[in-house]
Amino acid sequence: VKVYALLLAGGAGTRFWPASRVHRPKQLLALTGEQSMLLATAERVLPIAGGWSNVLVAGGRHLEAATREALPELPRENLLLEPVPRNTAPCIAWAAARIARTDPDALVMALPSDHHVRDDEAFRETVRAALASAATGVVTTIGVKPTRPETGFGYIEVAGAPPDGVATPVRRFVEKPNRAHAAAFVESGRYLWNAGMFFFRAKDLVAAVRAHLPALGAMLDRLDEAARLGDEGAALDAAFAAAPNVSLDVGVMEKLDRIAVVPGDFGWSDVGSWQAAWDLAPRDDNGNAAPASAILIDARDNLVIDLRSTPTDRTSALIGVRGMVLVLTDDAVLLLPRERAQEVRTVVEALRKAGRNLLT
Amino acid sequence: VKVYALLLAGGAGTRFWPASRVHRPKQLLALTGEQSMLLATAERVLPIAGGWSNVLVAGGRHLEAATREALPELPRENLLLEPVPRNTAPCIAWAAARIARTDPDALVMALPSDHHVRDDEAFRETVRAALASAATGVVTTIGVKPTRPETGFGYIEVAGAPPDGVATPVRRFVEKPNRAHAAAFVESGRYLWNAGMFFFRAKDLVAAVRAHLPALGAMLDRLDEAARLGDEGAALDAAFAAAPNVSLDVGVMEKLDRIAVVPGDFGWSDVGSWQAAWDLAPRDDNGNAAPASAILIDARDNLVIDLRSTPTDRTSALIGVRGMVLVLTDDAVLLLPRERAQEVRTVVEALRKAGRNLLT
């Protein structure tokens, strides 16, 4: 049976401003290594998908050029361009429907493209277990074993203590909890982090969409019909414009009677801030993550990101600086202490209010 | 009697890297206001010189374009380009000799062009007193009343307590003292800072050079002869190459029998570091000196200098940052705490050793 990887590569991404922009969201950045996170995600699952022809990438139309540049080996027709952003349910359903037209039993793994995984092989083991579960006709997800009472993620509750590396039934999905609930979840040992990864047979997801999200089912009907007539592309704009703006979790997953989860432990991070980027980036003996061109004198634990396009020899010189994030682009510079990384939003908000063109 | 302003505008300037470069020394920067310090110096003395035709500027050949751009009203022939750097004695002597050829009684004020003066009118009062003294045939300087036991300046000792605003005889020039001597100097009330400003009749300086620095006198002979033949320019290279590399202080001033000083108190600074630049720059209520394009959130007492040539709308966003210096150019960024401003030299040294082209 064929296995497709569907990489979700939309997103606006303001948490990594000024590196991330409307036209360069987080997955296109090389925050934690030499590669963009999108390319790293694709290469991580290539051994399972069996080659680039089975890799699909879904993203907004405005990201076409940058996405093709980031994935030079991706076949042209494998880039699914959403005319308008409509969250994850419409684009995953569209991809599943396309695959189902010719290969309804094919397995699909829908994965975020802007997460970091430390142990690729452990990740693939977990993915293989999730695909094995999906092959039985049960939509399956991966739940990351929580390491802290994080309030920024959704949780997945399982019936008992989760088994190691095999699928177990999901009891319920839980939205981002408050601190007390999060602590109780971690304490109980029955909750996993929802990392937004979904595994299914193409036909099963299409059926689930038709059953639980009829408005989206109608979109799939339109697109199937257009495809039969040989012009799916022309129908896309109207179809997406009419599609419900909803995540697959909320629109479909939470409504399914049976859904399985495979617990995973592979050094996962959603890379949610500059702080996380520093945590994950290769660092020198003084804790600095900085380009080789930098001059660091009595500098410790800093993150320097240099995306300037100007002269090939350039430098950033830091003297006596500790724990700072310094991000350089042609038109913007960000400087803040690592522990205040969340406040980047404040800057983005100020720029938006001022109508300044430093976000695109 | 005519009064000429001779602005000394050479210098390499590594203390303001990456803003200052070989081709953009300190006087061409607008460190403490909207204008370059060179233009500010020229405008400060224009009321005394009586117009741009009496302003001469001496600088290295490599600075020609940048200097003309900084001083658009300077007549072409008033820019004296030194073929090779030879400290201050040769270029001041050359300028004096040029003036003396047609107007030996003209008064000349030779001034550094990279200092800051807070009270322009008080400065001009002091200059007028120094010119009045020079008009009597005594080479005269200005001594700044010391406000701290600075070890970075030379001192001028006078015979008794210096009088207010009139010339008094210089007892001796003192090189940069150690801390204890500097403290004793300030305590005594008889020492003034040597700010490198000299006032003289053109013919008096030429005579002093011939008397005390015969090697330089020989250069003046060559140039006078060439000028008589109508081609001073062609003689310059050889003349400067053979000239002694010496300051006017050491080569001439310290050897004169009679020399006068006018004590001055006009808010003087030699703007010796990024710390001094922050001290002198206009700052907002939070102590930040930053361009209007900057976004400052919970940021205090920072200096931000943005010399990037890239997009017209650009920003520097600082969150939770205190007392830092952030300097941005197209090819280099400097970040350090203000109190470590002196260590810029370390970076310049590292770049020089590495043979990297980020200094020119």
Side-chain angles (χ1 to χ4, degrees), chain B residues 26-41:
Chain B
K26 183 181 152 204
Q27 71 270 7
L28 296 174
L29 302 174
L31 288 174
T32 58
E34 307 265 298
Q35 292 180 320
S36 70
M37 288 194 286
L38 174 58
L39 179 56
T41 303

Side-chain angles (χ1 to χ4, degrees), chain A:
Chain A
V1 62
K2 258 196 180 172
V3 177
Y4 287 90
L6 169 62
L7 309 186
L8 307 173
T14 55
R15 289 179 295 181
F16 289 93
W17 185 90
S20 65
R21 300 293 177 99
V22 170
H23 288 90
R24 188 175 60 205
K26 182 182 152 203
Q27 70 271 8
L28 296 173
L29 301 175
L31 288 174
T32 59
E34 307 264 301
Q35 292 180 321
S36 71
M37 288 194 287
L38 174 59
L39 179 56
T41 302
E43 297 199 342
R44 188 176 302 128
V45 295
L46 269 181
I48 296 177
W52 282 101
S53 59
N54 291 348
V55 175
L56 301 175
V57 177
R61 272 197 191 150
H62 64 292
L63 299 175
E64 179 172 5
T67 303
R68 291 202 194 282
E69 195 181 331
L71 300 176
E73 297 190 65
L74 184 75
R76 266 201 92 70
E77 66 277 14
N78 287 18
L79 181 55
L80 307 185
L81 297 168
E82 306 160 72
V84 287
R86 281 288 181 272
N87 211 324
T88 54
C91 83
I92 294 176
W94 175 34
R98 277 174 63 119
I99 294 168
R101 282 174 209 153
T102 56
D103 190 357
D105 290 315
L107 289 166
V108 181
M109 46 183 156
L111 308 171
S113 62
D114 61 350
H115 293 172
H116 180 78
V117 164
R118 195 184 56 237
D119 185 343
D120 284 348
E121 193 44 50
F123 175 75
R124 282 190 289 266
E125 279 304 307
T126 311
V127 165
R128 286 189 189 98
L131 289 168
S133 166
T136 68
V138 181
V139 174
T140 303
T141 182
I142 284 178
V144 175
K145 291 184 185 166
T147 53
R148 58 181 189 274
E150 175 66 52
T151 58
F153 303 147
Y155 284 71
I156 299 168
E157 188 188 1
V158 295
D164 251 8
V166 295
T168 191
V170 168
R171 191 164 184 176
R172 61 170 182 141
F173 285 90
V174 187
E175 292 288 300
K176 294 175 187 175
N178 63 26
R179 193 89 192 161
H181 282 127
F185 291 172
V186 175
E187 177 73 17
S188 78
R190 287 183 295 105
Y191 287 81
L192 302 163
W193 285 339
N194 181 354
M197 304 176 189
F198 299 104
F199 304 81
F200 44 79
R201 289 187 306 198
K203 66 179 180 190
D204 294 336
L205 191 88
V206 171
V209 165
R210 290 191 199 283
H212 298 288
L213 207 52
L216 189 53
M219 177 184 101
L220 297 185
D221 290 339
R222 279 167 91 159
L223 292 177
D224 281 347
E225 176 63 16
R228 252 191 304 278
L229 299 173
D231 201 359
E232 186 180 15
L236 269 184
D237 282 24
F240 261 84
N245 190 359
V246 63
S247 72
L248 193 72
D249 301 56
V250 170
V252 180
M253 292 297 138
E254 297 178 6
K255 297 171 181 165
L256 293 179
D257 288 335
R258 288 181 62 205
I259 183 161
V261 60
V262 179
D265 188 1
F266 34 76
W268 174 86
S269 168
D270 77 331
V271 198
S273 69
W274 286 117
Q275 168 74 50
W278 177 83
D279 276 336
L280 297 167
R283 301 193 293 273
D284 68 18
D285 291 347
N286 293 316
N288 296 303
S293 61
I295 296 175
L296 304 164
I297 297 171
D298 188 22
R300 280 175 199 281
D301 300 334
N302 301 290
L303 173 66
V304 180
I305 302 271
D306 189 344
L307 295 176
R308 290 175 291 171
S309 62
T310 39
T312 44
D313 192 13
R314 55 176 182 253
T315 195
S316 331
L318 278 68
I319 301 177
V321 178
R322 299 260 185 290
M324 298 297 278
V325 174
L326 176 64
V327 186
L328 309 166
T329 70
D330 286 339
D331 60 0
V333 171
L334 174 71
L335 176 66
L336 45 63
R338 252 185 15 244
E339 69 270 17
R340 298 185 69 165
Q342 300 294 349
E343 296 181 47
V344 172
R345 290 161 204 243
T346 320
V347 175
V348 171
E349 210 37 60
L351 288 168
R352 195 171 279 147
K353 273 189 188 144
R356 292 175 71 182
N357 187 28
L358 293 160
L359 301 171
T360 52

Side-chain angles (χ1 to χ4, degrees), chain B residues 256-344:
Chain B
L256 293 179
D257 289 335
R258 288 182 61 205
I259 183 162
V261 59
V262 178
D265 188 1
F266 34 75
W268 174 86
S269 168
D270 77 331
V271 197
S273 69
W274 286 117
Q275 168 73 51
W278 177 83
D279 276 337
L280 297 167
R283 301 193 293 274
D284 67 18
D285 291 347
N286 294 316
N288 296 303
S293 62
I295 296 175
L296 304 164
I297 297 171
D298 187 23
R300 282 175 197 281
D301 301 335
N302 301 290
L303 174 65
V304 180
I305 301 271
D306 188 343
L307 294 175
R308 288 175 291 171
S309 62
T310 38
T312 43
D313 192 13
R314 55 177 180 251
T315 195
S316 330
L318 279 69
I319 300 177
V321 179
R322 301 259 185 289
M324 298 297 277
V325 174
L326 176 63
V327 186
L328 310 165
T329 70
D330 286 339
D331 59 1
V333 171
L334 174 70
L335 176 65
L336 45 63
R338 250 181 21 239
E339 68 270 18
R340 298 184 70 164
Q342 300 294 349
E343 296 180 48
V344 172

Side-chain angles (χ1 to χ4, degrees), chain B residues 179-203:
Chain B
R179 193 90 191 160
H181 282 127
F185 290 173
V186 175
E187 178 72 17
S188 78
R190 286 182 296 104
Y191 287 80
L192 301 163
W193 285 338
N194 181 356
M197 305 176 190
F198 300 105
F199 304 81
F200 45 79
R201 290 186 306 198
K203 67 180 180 190

